[in-house]
Each structure stands twice: as C-alpha cells, then as structure tokens.
C-alpha cells in the first residue's frame, strides 16, 4: 500500500524469468530428494491421500535437507510445505525420542511418557535450535500456520532438566521466553490473529500459570493503543469470562468498567466494528432491562453526533429488538413505538449501506 509500482523493461522481465526458472528447478530437485527419503517412490503420486510407507531415512543429512527447504538462509524455501514439517518431526522423534509416529500438527498433543533415545541435554539443544529457526522464519512469514504448529510441538517435547532438584527449570524458562517472543510479535503486528491464538495457547499451557488479571491488563494495554484491535477485544471476552466464572472479579462492578471502556472506543472510532462487537457481547441476550435501556440511550446520543453512522443504527435496531422480545408486551403502545423506530432505522440503513440492503429488508 502506498508504494508506487515501476514497470520493468522486457530485458529485465526476461532475466527475472530465467532466475525464477533456476530457483524452481533447484526447489524441485530438493523436494524430490526429501520426499524420496520420506516415502517410497510408488506413493509419491498420491502423497497427500495415503499413509506414508517410510523409507526410514532418519539421518542427519535428511534433517539438514528439511532445514534447507524450510529455512530463510537459502533461495530454496517453502515454509508452508507441511509434509516436510511432519517428516522433520518424525526424524526428531526417531533420532532423539521414541519411535512413535508424529501427531498431525493441528492436533494439540497431550504429553505422555516416552523413551529417550538421547540425553536430556541433547534433546533440549536440538529442540531449542528448532525454536530459534522458527523464530527467524516468523519474522519473514508471521502468518504461516505450520511454523506456529511446529513451535507448539517443540514446546510440548521439552524434557525435564538434568537437575532433579529443579526438574522444571528448562520448561519454565522456555515457556517464559515463548511468551516474551509472542509479545514481541504482537508489538510488530498487534492484530496478527495467529499470534493472538498462539498466545492464548502459551498462556493456558505454561507450567507456571499466568493470572487472568495479568492477561486482562495486557489486553487493556493493547486496546488503549489501538481501539481497532479486534483480536485484543476477542481475547478480552475470554479473560473476562474466566474471571467471572472463577469469582475472582465481581461481575456487576466490572461490567460497568467494561461499558465505560468500550463506550470510549465507540465515541472515538464510531465506524470501526471491533468495539461495537464487544459492546454487543457485553449486552448479551439483553436480559437486564436497565442496562439495555441505558446503552440504547448512549448509542442514540452518539447517533445524534454521527447521524450517518451505520454501526449506531444497526446496533440500535439490534438492541431495540431485544427490548421488544424480552421486556415489552406485544400490542402495547410502547412496543408499537419501538417497532416504528426500528423500521425507520432499517429504511435509513438501506439507503446508506446498499450492499446489505436485502439483510435490512429481511429484518424489517
């Protein structure tokens, strides 16, 4: 965005095609070499639809080839080739841990006892190296699922420390560092939803559990830095729900603080959907009439200042429908008046938001 495009000459385009052709040839040679090591040639044509019949090449050379294909230190790179990530994990399992088959990367692994084929120091070193490699990859490819998945796998296989008096030392330090790294990632891109999802995983899985109140403070910091950070609002719903469920926070008093925070965001960025969606989450099913009527009045005040605000009108329709369904008697004068107000708002929405005209018509 905002970068002016320049037109290359025909000679420059031809030279680029030749360079790309050379890179592609090298990539295909490397890919074929790795896949042949991972499975028999007879299964290469349907690699993604059948279980591998392993050639059982768990050598350091094979491991190095997977690094070459996945790493940014070479022109030959494809970090989204999840088959290679699976093969890499199987090499790690066979060389250093047990002979168990690697779990699919999208499935969270529940730690179970396994036979160590190497010393804890050696296992810790090789997994630490993989975490370092994927950290570098994430700087270039922050939204590739398979890199994040491989980090999870590595974390879940960190062995106990060699010192029996402090067996959890390696795990504690590794998970603490992981939280630091993902927070650095969110400083670079505060709305990276993959980083936010990974952060939820790290916070939930750390050997020394992080308090929900500390996590709530983190979301406050991110939201106040950018009201448009939908992922931070979403994380806040998870943390607040947990605090309410555990009884650590009084729901009634904290709810008022949440409404104050989200109202500030709504009045600052009335056209951004993030705060509005959080506001609707706070309203919920609209069972509390006092809160519902109060928030309707707040939104109407904002609409008076922003008469063309789509989100103000849409939210008023949503909240007034909750009022009709939950608190007003059918056929009463008040319900008739609220119905007319909703229909008027929907007619305005059809005019200012024609892309969703049919939606507003159906609600009407």
């Amino acid at each position: 965005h905002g970068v002016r495009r320049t037109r290359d000459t025909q000679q420059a385009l031809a030279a680029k095609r030749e360079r790309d052709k050379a890179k592609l040839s090298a990539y295909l040679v490397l890919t074929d070499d790795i896949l042949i090591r991972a499975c028999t040639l007879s299964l290469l044509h349907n690699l993604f639809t059948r279980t591998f019949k392993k050639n059982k090449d768990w050598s350091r050379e094979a491991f190095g080839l997977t690094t070459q294909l996945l790493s940014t230190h070479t022109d030959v790179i494809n970090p989204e080739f999840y088959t290679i990530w699976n093969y890499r994990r199987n090499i790690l399992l066979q060389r250093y841990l047990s002979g168990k088959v690697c779990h699919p990367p999208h499935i969270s692994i529940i730690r179970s006892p396994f036979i160590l084929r190497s010393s804890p120091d050696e296992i810790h070193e090789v997994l630490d190296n993989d975490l370092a490699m994927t950290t570098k990859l994430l700087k270039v490819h922050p939204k590739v699922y398979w890199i994040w998945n491989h980090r999870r796998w590595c974390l879940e296989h960190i062995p106990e420390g060699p010192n029996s008096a402090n067996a959890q030392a390696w795990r504690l330090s590794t998970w603490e560092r992981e939280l630091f790294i993902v927070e650095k990632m969110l400083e670079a891109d505060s709305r990276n939803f993959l980083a936010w999802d990974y952060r939820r995983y790290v916070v939930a899985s750390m050997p020394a559990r992080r308090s929900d109140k500390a996590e709530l403070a983190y979301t406050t910091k991110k939201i106040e830095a950018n009201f448009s950070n939908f992922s931070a609002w979403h994380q806040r719903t998870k943390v607040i729900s947990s605090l309410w469920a555990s009884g650590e926070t009084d729901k009634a008093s904290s709810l008022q603080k949440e409404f104050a925070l989200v109202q500030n965001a709504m009045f600052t960025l009335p056209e951004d959907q993030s705060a509005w969606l959080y506001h609707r989450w706070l309203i919920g099913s609209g069972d509390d009439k006092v809160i519902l009527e109060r928030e309707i009045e707040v939104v109407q005040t904002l609409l008076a200042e922003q008469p063309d605000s789509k989100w103000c009108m849409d939210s008023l329709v949503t909240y007034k429908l909750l009022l009709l369904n939950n608190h007003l008697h059918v056929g009463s004068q008040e319900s008739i008046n609220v119905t007319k107000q909703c229909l008027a708002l929907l007619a305005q929405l059809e005019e200012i938001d024609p892309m969703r005209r049919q939606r507003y018509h159906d609600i009407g």
Side-chain angles (χ1 to χ4, degrees), residues 294-339:
R294 184 194 68 200
E295 294 307 305
I296 286 174
E297 187 175 344
V298 168
V299 178
Q300 286 175 329
T301 300
L302 179 54
L303 182 61
E305 297 179 10
Q306 304 284 336
D308 294 327
S309 171
K310 180 194 81 170
W311 281 102
C312 280
M313 296 181 198
D314 193 283
S315 296
L316 281 174
V317 171
T318 300
Y319 299 155
K320 291 188 179 209
L321 281 173
L322 291 175
L323 195 63
L324 281 170
N325 292 330
N326 296 343
H327 305 291
L328 302 182
H329 296 292
V330 177
S332 67
Q333 188 59 49
E334 188 178 4
S335 70
I336 292 171
N337 291 339
V338 172
T339 300

Side-chain angles (χ1 to χ4, degrees), residues 66-104:
T66 66
T67 303
Q68 187 179 349
L69 183 62
L70 300 168
S71 174
T72 55
H73 297 298
T74 171
D75 288 334
V76 183
I77 176 174
N78 183 4
E80 297 197 65
F81 202 157
Y82 63 86
T83 300
I84 306 303
W85 286 112
N86 287 342
Y87 180 40
R88 185 180 183 87
R89 282 187 286 273
N90 274 314
I91 294 174
L92 289 171
L93 282 168
Q94 295 293 338
R95 286 188 66 84
Y96 301 102
L97 303 173
S98 71
K100 293 182 180 180
V101 175
C102 179
H103 294 268

Side-chain angles (χ1 to χ4, degrees), residues 19 146 148 160 201 222 246 363:
R19 290 195 301 272
W146 318 112
W148 293 105
E160 291 185 354
Y201 156 77
K222 288 298 180 185
S246 65
I363 294 172

Side-chain angles (χ1 to χ4, degrees), residues 126-137 151 177:
V126 73
L127 293 177
D128 205 49
N129 288 339
D130 262 37
L131 287 171
M133 182 192 79
T134 52
T135 299
K136 293 177 181 178
L137 281 172
R151 291 188 76 84
R177 184 184 62 192

